[in-house]
Amino acid sequence: MRATRAPTASQIQNPPPPPSSTKSGRFFKGGLGALGHALRGKTAGAFGPDLAKKLAQLVKMEKNVMRSLELVAKERMEVAQQLSIWGEACDEDVSDVTDKLGVLLYEIGELEDQYVDRYDQYRVTMKSIRNIEASVQPSRDRKQKITDQIAQLKYKEPNSPRIVVLEQELVRAEAESLVAEAQLSNITREKIKAAYTYQFDALREHCEKVAIIAGYGKHLLELIDDTPVTPGETRAAYDGYEASKAIIQDCEDALTNWVTQKAAVSAKLSTRARTLSTRRRNNIKARSEGLDLSGQDAPLNDQDTWVPAGQHQRHKDEYSEDEEDEDEDELEGRTSHSALGSEAGLNGGETRGRNHEPVVA
C-alpha cells in the first residue's frame, strides 16, 4: 500500500484518517456477509428514539456502501494480478504491457481502499448527528408527557391543585426543550457541512488520481505493436521495456505530487448561480454578526432529560444502534503491499523481459 512508503504531497497536506471501522477479518463472509448486508438495510432505524430513526437508517445504509466499496477494491487488486499472470504467456510486448497495466490497476484498487477510509470520516460525522438527535428525544418526550397529564387532569379534575404544579414543570420543560432544539439545529448544520466536505474532498482526490492512472495506462497501450503481420512473418523485437518502466515511474511521481490545488477539474458556477450564492452567503454573514452563542451549551440542571452537546459522546447508553455489528468490525485490519514504487511487477520479485537481448529482425 502507498501508506507503507513516504507520504504523498496530498497526505502531508491532509493526513489520512485511521482505517475504516468496516475493515476487518470478519468471521462471516460470502453468503452470511451478504445476509448481514441485507439485514442492515431492512432493520436500520427500526430501533431507538423516533427522532433518530431516519438518520440511523442512512448511517446503516452507508455502512453497506462502504463494505461494497471495500469488496470492489479487493477484487480489483485480484483482477490486476490475474491480468499480469495471463500476460506471461503472451508475446514480449503484450507480456510487458499487461504486467505494467496490472501494476496500474492494482494501484487503483489501493486508491479505492484508501477512499473507504476517508468515506468513513463522513459516515462517523453523520453518526454523531444521529447521536445528538437521540439525546434530544427525552426532552421532547418529557414535555409531551407533562402536556398530556395537564390535559387529562383538566378533563377529569379541573380544580386539582396538581395542575398548577404540572404547569410550572411544563414551563421548565419547554425552556429545556428550547435549548435542546437550538443545540440540535446548530450542531446539525455544522456537522452536515463537515461530513459532506469529507466525502466530496475524498471523492475528488480519488477521481483525479484514477484519471491520472487512466492517462498513463493509455500511454502504455501505445507500446504494443498492433501492425498486422502475414502468416510466417516475424514481428520486430520488442524494445519498450525501458519506456514502460519510465511511464510507471512518471505515474507514481504524478500520484505522489498531486494536491488539491493541482486538480484538473473545477466546478465553475454560472453568473446567475454565483450571484445568488454570494447573496445567500452575505445574508448569512449579516445575520450572524453580533450574535453571541457562547452560552448556548451551558449544562442544564436536569441531566436526565438533556445532555449538552459537548458531553453527548460520553453518554453512550443513550443510543448505540451500531454496537451489535460494529463489534465484528473491530478485529484485525488487512495489510496490503504496494504496487507502484517497485521495479518488480505483480508476480513475485521478477520483472518479465529484463534479460532479453535485442534480436535483429
Side-chain angles (χ1 to χ4, degrees), residues 61-309:
M61 293 169 69
E62 290 290 13
K63 172 169 278 190
N64 283 347
V65 170
M66 289 174 58
R67 289 209 169 141
S68 298
L69 291 172
E70 183 183 347
L71 181 61
V72 168
K74 178 177 179 294
E75 293 189 346
R76 193 182 298 278
M77 294 177 192
E78 293 173 353
V79 166
Q81 291 174 323
Q82 189 62 32
L83 174 64
S84 184
I85 292 171
W86 167 76
E88 286 181 343
C90 298
D91 293 337
E92 288 185 347
D93 55 348
V94 176
S95 176
D96 181 52
V97 170
T98 54
D99 187 46
K100 299 304 190 297
L101 288 177
V103 172
L104 295 185
L105 293 176
Y106 195 93
E107 184 69 11
I108 291 177
E110 288 197 338
L111 290 175
E112 288 170 334
D113 190 71
Q114 295 173 22
Y115 175 64
V116 173
D117 294 338
R118 293 196 179 276
Y119 197 92
D120 194 42
Q121 283 186 297
Y122 146 76
R123 177 181 170 273
V124 170
T125 305
M126 294 299 291
K127 187 176 174 181
S128 69
I129 302 176
R130 183 210 65 185
N131 294 340
I132 297 170
E133 285 183 341
S135 68
V136 170
Q137 189 69 51
S139 175
R140 290 188 177 183
D141 292 345
R142 184 183 179 216
K143 185 176 72 170
Q144 185 61 47
K145 181 180 178 180
I146 296 173
T147 302
D148 292 343
Q149 288 177 340
I150 293 174
Q152 186 177 17
L153 281 175
K154 285 184 177 180
Y155 177 74
K156 291 184 177 182
E157 302 178 43
N159 298 322
S160 174
R162 181 162 170 73
I163 294 178
V164 177
V165 176
L166 288 175
E167 287 177 342
Q168 292 174 349
E169 290 184 11
L170 180 59
V171 171
R172 290 194 296 269
E174 288 177 339
E176 293 168 1
S177 180
L178 285 174
V179 175
E181 298 293 346
Q183 286 184 311
L184 176 60
S185 177
N186 294 338
I187 294 173
T188 296
R189 284 159 173 76
E190 174 189 347
K191 294 294 185 180
I192 197 170
K193 290 179 72 173
Y196 279 94
T197 296
Y198 286 140
Q199 181 178 151
F200 292 142
D201 285 348
L203 185 62
R204 185 182 193 186
E205 178 176 349
H206 177 70
C207 293
E208 288 269 349
K209 288 185 175 180
V210 169
I212 289 172
I213 293 175
Y216 284 100
K218 294 189 70 174
H219 286 305
L220 283 172
L221 294 177
E222 297 298 325
L223 302 180
I224 295 178
D225 181 7
D226 60 351
T227 305
V229 296
T230 59
E233 181 182 358
T234 303
R235 288 190 181 276
Y238 177 62
D239 57 357
Y241 292 110
E242 291 302 318
S244 65
K245 180 181 176 181
I247 291 173
I248 292 293
Q249 184 61 52
D250 286 350
C251 183
E252 181 184 4
D253 292 342
L255 293 174
T256 300
N257 297 325
W258 186 92
V259 290
T260 304
Q261 290 76 9
K262 295 182 179 180
V265 179
S266 60
K268 297 181 179 179
L269 295 176
S270 65
T271 302
R272 181 174 182 272
R274 184 168 57 252
T275 300
L276 294 174
S277 297
T278 302
R279 182 187 303 168
R280 169 63 178 169
R281 290 194 299 269
N282 290 339
N283 290 341
I284 294 173
K285 183 178 179 181
R287 284 194 294 267
S288 64
E289 289 179 352
L291 185 60
D292 183 11
L293 300 177
S294 59
Q296 69 169 357
D297 291 338
L300 302 174
N301 293 329
D302 189 352
Q303 294 292 335
D304 294 330
T305 59
W306 171 244
V307 180

Side-chain angles (χ1 to χ4, degrees), residues 36-51:
H37 192 288
L39 286 175
R40 273 191 301 274
K42 292 181 179 179
T43 62
F47 308 99
D50 292 338
L51 180 60

